[in-house]
Amino acid sequence: MPRKQKDGLYQRSGSPYWWASWIGADGERHRQSTKIRVDRAGAQQEADALLSKWKYEAHQQRVWGKPQEKQKHALKDVLDAYMAAKGYVQSFGRSRAAYIVRHVMEAFDGRMIEDIHPSEIRAYRRRRRESVGASTVNKETGLISAACNYCRNELDWDIPNPAHRQKEQEPRGRTRWAERSQIERLIAVADRNKRAPWIGDHIRLSVFTGLRAGDVSALTWDRVDMQRCLLRIPSRQNRKMKEDRIVPLNDEAMKAIRGRKAFRDRNCPESPWVFCNWKGERIKDMKRAFNTAIREAGIEDFRRHDARHTFASYLLNADVPMEVLSKAMGHSDINTTQRYAHLRPTAVQEAVNRLSAQNSHTGESNHD
């Protein structure tokens, strides 16, 4: 939609709010979001009243020189605008997003973003670091920063960003992987779980594709090509991916897919979810069943994401080049893949040995 060239309300593409256009005290045309949602009851009348107020204030300033009060924005409105537009809940999951927002709002509830000083953000970070790690605090203050930037750049809100560049260096993440014998034992135990008959296939698919746990649980049948043994993971499903990902399936992964299809055909043939319960509903959280299998298999310190690390270790020890591993893991930057290099500790020794073997054939001529 073209920009509004006359006074009045209008709707802006991609924005859930009414926008207003009017001539300010400086004689220039002003366009600003009212922060009043279009779909709210009586929203247009409320937005029109706000526009009338802005026009009257502009008239007062222009005719009588009365300074115009700068509009302030509640932090909650800033966060709501960003989360509604950017799908923050979908990116992190409902419970995780609620956790992040809850701690931010407990500290700054009712505050205007214009009144929050960067020193207050630093003090918040120090308090939170007494109980949680740097990664969690970075997500919390990062949400404030991202929301402010969105409202400034996309909604033209004249607001500061008190959380700008307030990020702590995070420690390198753990990289735990399991031996093949451990994985075989884990899957065997999981397959015997009658209360959660899907957990064995979940582990099997995670280990032999390297998919993240969330990507596995979100799989739908329209993204499965059983004839070509492929999966498609759309980029919108995971904020870490820049484009759709095509995942090849080996025999073990296909065993998991066939197991889920047989379950669906018997219990809920209309369900769109690959991992569903007897009612055809998506199984979002498999943590309890996974932890039970880990405990019964006698494996210590092994989390669901470690299945992805295990996949990486299998490929590295099969002499798969780092570039191919990066593609298989769905990494957009090969530097991210480099963290797995230590999973094959013999690689450097093998390279040195090959160099030594080459020199043994040419050594005499080199010393003549």
Side-chain angles (χ1 to χ4, degrees):
M1 176 181 290
R3 285 192 152 191
K4 186 81 170 177
Q5 297 301 324
K6 59 182 180 179
D7 288 4
L9 299 175
Y10 65 101
Q11 291 180 250
R12 180 168 167 174
S13 177
S15 173
Y17 305 105
W18 280 111
W19 283 68
S21 175
W22 76 101
I23 300 297
D26 55 4
E28 299 291 329
R29 179 158 298 282
H30 291 243
R31 301 174 184 86
Q32 183 173 327
S33 168
T34 66
K35 296 187 294 182
I36 298 172
R37 296 186 66 90
V38 173
D39 56 3
R40 204 171 78 194
Q44 187 167 0
Q45 291 82 357
E46 186 179 347
D48 192 53
L50 182 58
L51 172 59
S52 297
K53 174 178 177 291
W54 288 342
K55 291 170 67 175
Y56 178 65
E57 289 175 348
H59 173 78
Q60 287 183 311
Q61 185 179 10
R62 185 170 54 250
V63 176
W64 300 309
K66 182 178 179 180
Q68 187 174 6
E69 294 182 7
K70 183 179 178 180
Q71 183 187 12
K72 290 190 175 184
H73 306 75
L75 173 61
K76 184 179 186 304
D77 291 338
V78 175
L79 297 180
D80 286 347
Y82 171 70
M83 293 173 68
K86 292 296 184 180
Y88 191 79
V89 172
Q90 288 80 358
S91 296
F92 282 91
R94 187 171 300 278
S95 60
R96 182 61 175 164
Y99 173 85
I100 294 171
V101 174
R102 175 167 62 85
H103 283 283
V104 170
M105 291 310 302
E106 283 179 356
F108 301 105
D109 189 26
R111 297 289 302 278
M112 298 295 171
I113 193 66
E114 290 86 353
D115 297 335
I116 300 175
H117 193 270
S119 62
E120 294 182 80
I121 300 293
R122 289 192 290 271
Y124 170 80
R125 292 184 61 87
R126 287 194 295 271
R127 289 196 304 273
R128 290 289 287 146
R129 283 293 279 119
E130 294 175 0
S131 55
V132 298
S135 177
T136 298
V137 181
N138 283 343
K139 287 183 175 67
E140 292 171 1
T141 57
L143 169 61
I144 298 175
S145 182
C148 289
N149 287 338
Y150 170 78
C151 291
R152 284 154 56 109
N153 299 331
E154 300 297 327
L155 304 183
D156 296 331
W157 291 6
D158 183 14
I159 60 174
N161 183 351
H164 181 58
R165 292 187 176 180
Q166 296 213 35
K167 186 175 182 179
E168 182 179 344
Q169 185 70 32
E170 299 178 15
R172 183 173 179 174
R174 68 194 287 280
T175 306
R176 166 79 162 89
W177 57 282
E179 300 286 351
R180 189 171 290 269
S181 60
Q182 292 178 306
I183 292 299
E184 290 173 354
R185 187 167 74 249
L186 175 61
I187 292 176
V189 167
D191 282 340
R192 295 196 294 268
N193 190 331
K194 294 183 179 180
R195 295 184 64 182
W198 44 79
I199 191 60
D201 286 334
H202 185 281
I203 296 171
R204 193 177 277 112
L205 194 61
S206 299
V207 169
F208 291 102
T209 62
L211 287 174
R212 298 175 178 89
D215 291 334
V216 174
S217 66
L219 271 177
T220 51
W221 286 107
D222 61 328
R223 299 171 190 165
V224 180
D225 188 336
M226 297 189 69
Q227 290 186 334
R228 298 169 62 197
C229 299
L230 296 174
L231 297 178
R232 181 178 61 85
I233 309 298
S235 58
R236 68 176 182 276
Q237 183 173 301
N238 194 308
R239 65 191 179 90
K240 295 185 177 182
M241 300 191 323
K242 296 181 179 179
E243 57 185 24
D244 289 1
R245 178 183 172 195
I246 303 300
V247 181
L249 303 174
N250 61 14
D251 291 343
E252 285 294 323
M254 282 302 300
K255 183 178 179 180
I257 293 295
R258 293 191 186 99
R260 290 303 86 216
K261 186 176 187 303
F263 177 90
R264 186 189 72 153
D265 291 346
R266 288 194 308 269
N267 299 283
C268 45
E270 301 300 320
S271 176
W273 304 105
V274 174
F275 285 88
C276 61
N277 58 23
W278 290 276
K279 296 181 181 179
E281 301 166 338
R282 174 188 173 187
I283 306 168
K284 295 182 180 180
D285 189 2
M286 305 189 193
K287 187 180 296 185
R288 179 179 297 178
F290 179 84
N291 290 339
T292 297
I294 288 293
R295 184 174 62 254
E296 293 180 355
I299 302 174
E300 296 182 357
D301 189 30
F302 192 83
R303 306 170 189 170
R304 285 190 300 169
H305 195 71
D306 296 333
R308 181 168 164 83
H309 300 160
T310 300
F311 170 76
S313 75
Y314 286 175
L315 293 189
L316 280 173
N317 285 287
D319 293 328
V320 171
M322 194 63 70
E323 294 80 4
V324 177
L325 174 61
S326 182
K327 203 78 169 170
M329 297 290 286
H331 292 155
S332 57
D333 185 350
I334 195 171
N335 290 325
T336 305
T337 317
Q338 294 292 342
R339 64 177 292 198
Y340 294 102
H342 72 282
L343 294 179
R344 188 186 170 202
T346 60
V348 175
Q349 183 65 52
E350 291 170 2
V352 171
N353 290 343
R354 285 198 296 271
L355 179 62
S356 178
Q358 291 174 359
N359 286 342
S360 67
H361 294 295
T362 60
E364 293 182 2
S365 60
N366 288 341
H367 291 285
D368 283 348

